[in-house]
Amino acid sequence: KQEVTQIPAALSVPEGENLVLNCSFTDSAIYNLQWFRQDPGKGLTSLLLIQSSQREQTSGRLNASLDKSSGRSTLYIAASQPGDSATYLCAVETTSGTYKYIFGTGTRLKVLA
Amino acid sequence: DVKVTQSSRYLVKRTGEKVFLECVQDMDHENMFWYRQDPGLGLRLIYFSYDVKMKEKGDIPEGYSVSREKKERFSLILESASTNQTSMYLCASSQTTPKYEQYFGPGTRLTVT
């Protein structure tokens, strides 16, 4: 059964710092991996989608990488800002079983001004 | 832009009531999903639908049913609400997988008293 883990669960950094969020998964049989942002009490906003054949995707200050063989993805945020404060979740789309998307429990990020 | 809307942001119901949560998407997506999100447990899939009138159980279907009579609309029904169904409910949609992103609605915070 696919399991997705995100470490750390919470992170506080000063404004301007570059940071890396981690996502690991146990089964490399995935179609894609998606990173989301969630503000308190709100829905999820899609940030980046990496297909299984890709190694990375970039959008503005965000860069996500995927290493399927080791079951790992990272989300790199450059020059962090207080507005980046949110919970970041990763999800994998599985190729087997009855599940479609398996989510990690997220990393709660706080960027201090 | 893809838009996924949910009928209510906040809902308070009494134990034993029948509860309807509605989700509408405007991008002709084939797939629609209902999740619940609880602290420490992350997002868990309740049901998903890959076509009109088609549905599949997710991780935690007990106590829930769904209806998809039209492509754009996916309803979650709590047959007899219980206090352990107090949660944040999130609807999502996507084009036929693999490869495509999930788009989420703003969520419904349901409290059962």
Side-chain angles (χ1 to χ4, degrees):
Chain A
K1 179 182 170 183
Q2 176 77 265
E3 290 182 6
V4 180
T5 305
Q6 291 184 250
I7 294 172
L11 183 63
S12 285
V13 300
E15 182 178 5
E17 195 163 295
N18 301 325
L19 58 101
V20 174
L21 306 181
N22 297 297
C23 173
S24 60
F25 47 96
T26 55
D27 185 349
S28 62
I30 64 170
Y31 285 124
N32 59 54
L33 184 143
Q34 194 169 357
W35 281 95
F36 295 89
R37 169 190 173 129
Q38 186 177 30
D39 294 291
K42 303 281 181 68
L44 278 66
T45 300
S46 177
L47 297 173
L48 289 164
L49 174 80
I50 311 177
Q51 297 176 20
S52 61
S53 58
Q54 296 175 320
R55 295 300 298 265
E56 64 179 299
Q57 282 287 329
T58 297
S59 176
R61 294 184 293 110
L62 305 179
N63 176 276
S65 67
L66 174 65
D67 183 343
K68 254 184 43 170
S69 60
S70 66
R72 294 169 72 173
S73 175
T74 61
L75 179 68
Y76 174 83
I77 303 176
S80 58
Q81 303 169 358
D84 295 329
S85 298
T87 297
Y88 291 80
L89 297 105
C90 67
V92 297
E93 184 180 3
T94 63
T95 63
S96 60
T98 59
Y99 305 99
K100 287 290 186 178
Y101 296 88
I102 309 296
F103 284 80
T105 51
T107 294
R108 191 169 63 254
L109 172 67
K110 188 165 186 178
V111 180
L112 305 168
Chain B
D1 271 356
V2 175
K3 195 155 191 180
V4 181
T5 56
Q6 295 183 228
S7 50
S8 305
R9 289 298 314 277
Y10 301 94
L11 210 51
V12 180
K13 295 290 181 181
R14 294 187 183 276
T15 302
E17 276 193 85
K18 191 168 186 175
V19 181
F20 294 85
L21 302 181
E22 281 217 317
C23 175
V24 177
Q25 51 94 3
D26 67 358
M27 284 301 289
D28 203 36
H29 283 174
E30 292 86 2
N31 305 311
M32 297 187 76
F33 307 81
W34 274 108
Y35 297 90
R36 65 176 282 178
Q37 185 178 31
D38 301 286
L41 297 177
L43 271 81
R44 293 179 292 167
L45 181 65
I46 305 171
Y47 268 97
F48 71 94
S49 169
Y50 50 90
D51 202 349
V52 175
K53 297 190 187 294
M54 307 302 286
K55 61 186 178 185
E56 282 199 30
K57 295 179 181 179
D59 297 319
I60 48 165
E62 296 79 18
Y64 302 95
S65 62
V66 290
S67 172
R68 193 166 181 201
E69 297 296 319
K70 294 185 178 182
K71 193 174 185 179
E72 68 272 18
R73 191 178 300 267
F74 192 35
S75 300
L76 180 70
I77 303 149
L78 286 66
E79 297 292 342
S80 177
S82 64
T83 54
N84 63 14
Q85 292 178 310
T86 291
S87 187
M88 170 71 104
Y89 289 87
L90 293 163
C91 175
S93 72
S94 73
Q95 294 184 43
T96 299
T97 55
K99 295 184 185 181
Y100 296 106
E101 296 174 68
Q102 278 200 312
Y103 295 89
F104 279 80
T108 295
R109 170 71 64 184
L110 173 67
T111 303
V112 182
T113 61

